[in-house]
Amino acid sequence: MKAKDIRNMTPAEIEQNISSLKEKYFNFRLEKISGRIERPQEGTKLKKDIARCYTVLKEIQREK
């Protein structure tokens, strides 16, 4: 997900996106522990997407 796409969302949508990404990351970690992981790079991608969402959310809050 690109920051440009996140900036087009409302703050409520961004927060929902963050919660769904956190859930996906949690499930990823469970799969990693159990050894059933297919794409190890997925964890890094999820963490970066969560960070992007938080960054854009903070930018929006600072503008107000």
Side-chain angles (χ1 to χ4, degrees):
M1 179 173 289
K2 302 220 179 216
K4 184 173 103 175
D5 299 333
I6 299 170
R7 285 188 178 95
N8 292 332
M9 296 180 180
T10 64
E13 290 174 337
I14 294 172
E15 289 174 2
Q16 287 178 345
N17 194 15
I18 289 171
S19 64
S20 69
L21 287 170
K22 281 185 173 183
E23 185 177 334
K24 287 180 186 178
Y25 185 64
F26 177 77
N27 291 333
F28 167 81
R29 289 189 343 229
L30 289 178
E31 289 179 8
K32 185 177 178 181
I33 291 169
S34 66
R36 296 181 298 164
I37 191 164
E38 295 176 7
R39 295 169 286 167
Q41 68 276 12
E42 185 72 22
T44 304
K45 180 183 173 290
L46 287 170
K47 286 195 293 186
K48 287 183 179 182
D49 285 345
I50 292 169
R52 275 190 204 101
C53 288
Y54 274 124
T55 302
V56 172
L57 188 61
K58 290 291 182 184
E59 286 175 358
I60 291 171
Q61 289 174 350
R62 286 183 187 149
E63 289 176 359
K64 291 184 180 182

